[in-house]
Amino acid sequence: MKNTKTLGAEMSLYVQSALHDAFPQMIPNDFEAAVVPTADPRNGDYQCNDAMALAKILRKAPREIAAAIVEALERPARTAEMVSSLEIAGPGFINFRLNPEWVADRLLSIEDDPCRGTPQVGEAKTVVIDYSSPNVAKPMHIGHIRSTVIGNALDRLHRFCGFRVLSDNHLGDWGTQFGLIILGYRHFVNPEALEASPVQELERVYVESYRKSKEDDAWMDQARRELVKLQQGDEENLALWKKFVALSMGEFEKIYDRLGVRFDLTRGESYYNADLPGVLTRLDEAGLLVESDGAMVVDLEAETLGVCIVRKTDGGFNYATTDLATVFSRVRDFEPETILYVTDERQQRHFRQFFTVCEKLGVDVNLEHVWFGLMRLPEGTFSTREGNVIKLEVLLDEAERRALEIVRSSSPDLPEAQQRDVARAVGIGALKYADLCQNPQSLVTFTWDKAMALDGNSAPYLQYAHARIRSVLDKHAAQFPADTLGDARPACALPPEQALGLKLARFPEAVLGATRHYRPNYLADYLYELAREYSTYHQSVPFLKSDDGVRESRMRLIRMVADTLKTGLDLLGIEAPERI
Ligand code: ARG
């Protein structure tokens, strides 16, 4: 399945060659025909708007150009089985309808492909995805949770498209806060609280120590000395620091386990500590390093990005310095084509600065900041502490509790343990999907009703559609054991099954769109539309009561729907249980 193209790409090629036949030697070499899905299915399945774009180049009326293209497309040698009809509309659009039999063949040809016909555009390319990246001794805030969910979906999508992916959890495990934490820990830690809820207690210690430093200069000086000792490798401080990292990691791991997230690498900021002085040398050699009020900076005024501080007045390195050291190391070790950084919107300026410095240094890699807005939480939705810091466990528990209610009423006969298993998949899935179905950059408000809705754009709705198909298939297998679906062609005689078939064949387009634009919501939208098309179909035709032959072909079609839903949900990091 390596060389498959999406339907759109295949259609574009088809039109491209007709273009050259229609206007020999007149089409610029770099002109690429574009055939895109129609916005309104009543006009056709795909449409080409190139006649308008070519009007200037060819000095002809768009409709005349469209007519010539259609004429070339209809020459016998070119008539494709792929297209069943085409027509010119409006100022010069060409609308195409695909041949449902051809679509059915295509579905058969991609059925056994684990990538379901998705072009392997990532072959021989490496992408590093830097996501989640919480800070040690601080709880994960909602930004880290979104980063974890969105980053993990991007991770799965890229692997699916053939990329070699290295997911890296760039922990905030080094920095000035550790002086305050070490000092605070020695004075105010409560061992029981530390045992019960380590990260929360470490944060409390930090906050208290920070407050004291604001009032008490001697405390601040002492904290600085503790930090210097840590940085110089003092054994006692190093042991404390290691303890903080381990305690925090232990809590983060629990969350990753529940979310089904795993990283290839967990190289926190500390990993690059020894490289930091070298960053300054490299900047200096490139003539980029200047002094400003005792600090060392890269001047980005020309780019209207101010200055990027790489060494503070007190001699300490900072966030940007570490990110530079990190990118050098990643480029050297993994030779990535692209590095994605998934964080909330508040870091846009940091990444613009840091990327600009990389450009000046000629760092040979494509850098992308995939940012998202902060999700709003309506009052009282979660137990919140200080702004948008939420207790993630509480949120996950609540999701599972609500899902269990749904499962208990939809499958009362299921054994309790299984009900809980399903509830876990549905609850966690609902939370993830509520995040992933939105444009990451738009402002959204989370509500339980929307996240758990069985009749709207939600994970439970998709999981339910999937489970419903599996149950039809099970009934079918029990009633008609002789039906071998393997020989059946997917049904494509009736309009709702044609629509469903076309939708299935477009799965690769949705996956590629989501991957290329770093927008998992493109895939979520697709899955929702697929489930809705299925629902229409389900209501309009009989399944088990249909005639021999017809029945099998319908089963074959809906099995493809279930498989595609399952694969698609998996790409979003969401499970699709056989029953709900
Ligand atoms: N630890 C940072 C934070 O919590 C996020 C790190 C993002 N990754 C990076 N390479 N800067 O804000």
Side-chain angles (χ1 to χ4, degrees), residues 130-135 141 144 170-172 269 319 323 326 330 341-344 347 350-351 354:
D130 176 319
Y131 72 95
S132 193
S133 311
N135 300 319
H141 62 62
H144 297 123
H170 187 76
L171 288 184
E269 294 178 4
Y319 194 44
D323 261 332
T326 307
R330 285 174 179 161
Y341 298 84
V342 188
T343 83
D344 72 52
Q347 300 199 22
H350 162 73
F351 281 105
F354 154 52

Side-chain angles (χ1 to χ4, degrees), residues 16-171:
Q16 176 88 11
S17 60
L19 258 185
H20 288 275
D21 281 4
F23 300 100
Q25 258 114 58
M26 290 162 77
I27 306 290
N29 282 337
D30 58 356
F31 187 88
E32 282 183 25
V35 180
V36 294
T38 50
D40 182 346
R42 281 174 303 189
N43 295 334
D45 301 327
Y46 281 86
Q47 112 185 12
C48 173
N49 308 333
D50 288 342
M52 269 71 76
L54 286 168
K56 264 217 182 101
I57 301 171
L58 299 173
R59 293 168 198 278
K60 283 188 172 37
R63 266 193 91 95
E64 201 184 314
I65 298 172
I69 300 173
V70 167
E71 193 268 322
L73 285 170
E74 282 174 340
R75 283 178 207 162
R78 196 169 291 293
T79 313
E81 272 189 18
M82 180 164 57
V83 173
S84 64
S85 70
L86 74 182
E87 61 175 23
I88 301 173
F93 304 114
I94 309 173
N95 292 333
F96 301 87
R97 247 178 230 297
L98 295 194
N99 173 3
E101 293 289 347
W102 182 86
V103 174
D105 282 336
R106 184 168 176 109
L107 293 179
L108 286 171
S109 76
I110 62 178
E111 198 183 21
D112 293 327
D113 174 18
C115 298
R116 309 201 82 78
T118 304
Q120 297 299 286
V121 294
E123 231 160 35
K125 292 179 185 159
T126 297
V127 50
V128 174
I129 311 185
D130 176 319
Y131 72 95
S132 193
S133 311
N135 300 319
V136 164
K138 291 191 186 163
M140 281 199 195
H141 62 62
I142 188 135
H144 297 123
I145 297 158
R146 292 204 79 186
S147 172
T148 308
V149 171
I150 296 171
N152 188 247
L154 293 175
D155 176 339
R156 290 164 185 260
L157 282 162
H158 278 84
R159 284 179 213 265
F160 195 77
C161 295
F163 288 89
R164 167 181 175 240
V165 175
L166 291 159
S167 56
D168 191 1
N169 190 1
H170 187 76
L171 288 184

Side-chain angles (χ1 to χ4, degrees), residues 149-381:
V149 171
I150 296 171
N152 188 247
L154 293 175
D155 176 339
R156 290 164 185 260
L157 282 162
H158 278 84
R159 284 179 213 265
F160 195 77
C161 295
F163 288 89
R164 167 181 175 240
V165 175
L166 291 159
S167 56
D168 191 1
N169 190 1
H170 187 76
L171 288 184
D173 64 355
W174 200 244
T176 44
Q177 77 266 32
F178 285 101
L180 285 167
I181 301 173
I182 289 174
L183 186 60
Y185 181 88
R186 292 211 175 100
H187 287 80
F188 342 106
V189 78
N190 169 346
E192 282 105 72
L194 190 71
E195 176 90 9
S197 189
V199 172
Q200 205 173 322
E201 176 60 6
L202 287 177
E203 202 210 12
R204 190 192 65 79
V205 163
Y206 170 69
V207 169
E208 203 168 326
S209 182
Y210 179 77
R211 277 204 199 112
K212 206 168 153 74
S213 74
K214 292 277 139 193
E215 296 151 10
D216 182 349
D217 287 345
W219 185 267
M220 191 66 225
D221 287 343
Q222 180 63 26
R224 281 206 194 96
R225 279 196 294 277
E226 296 299 346
L227 181 68
V228 172
K229 270 166 70 187
L230 172 69
Q231 287 170 342
Q232 289 169 348
D234 172 79
E235 253 176 60
E236 216 176 294
N237 280 8
L238 211 53
L240 275 181
W241 171 76
K242 280 193 184 140
K243 178 176 173 152
F244 303 153
V245 174
L247 285 172
S248 292
M249 257 336 264
E251 272 193 43
F252 299 153
E253 291 288 359
K254 275 193 242 158
I255 290 167
Y256 296 140
D257 269 356
R258 285 183 81 173
L259 294 177
V261 168
R262 230 172 294 131
F263 297 93
D264 298 306
L265 302 164
T266 300
R267 291 189 174 172
E269 294 178 4
S270 64
Y271 181 88
Y272 307 97
N273 188 38
D275 300 346
L276 298 179
V279 172
L280 267 75
T281 314
R282 184 154 166 188
L283 287 169
D284 199 21
E285 281 166 7
L288 293 172
L289 200 61
V290 288
E291 209 217 286
S292 163
D293 298 331
M296 299 308 281
V297 306
V298 179
D299 183 356
L300 302 175
E301 292 293 355
E303 289 81 5
T304 64
L305 287 171
V307 294
C308 177
I309 303 177
V310 288
R311 205 182 70 198
K312 294 179 282 187
T313 28
D314 67 7
F317 302 107
N318 65 7
Y319 194 44
T321 329
T322 309
D323 261 332
L324 285 164
T326 307
V327 84
F328 300 159
S329 154
R330 285 174 179 161
V331 167
R332 192 180 53 232
D333 290 0
F334 311 121
E335 299 178 13
E337 187 214 43
T338 298
I339 305 179
L340 304 182
Y341 298 84
V342 188
T343 83
D344 72 52
E345 60 192 5
R346 292 170 302 183
Q347 300 199 22
Q348 286 179 84
R349 189 181 167 84
H350 162 73
F351 281 105
R352 250 185 264 136
Q353 286 192 330
F354 154 52
F355 292 175
T356 309
V357 175
C358 289
E359 215 174 285
K360 287 182 187 285
L361 285 173
V363 178
D364 186 20
V365 62
N366 170 36
L367 301 171
E368 299 278 350
H369 183 208
V370 180
W371 60 269
F372 49 83
L374 286 176
M375 194 183 279
R376 268 200 307 212
L377 311 170
E379 242 4 87
T381 307

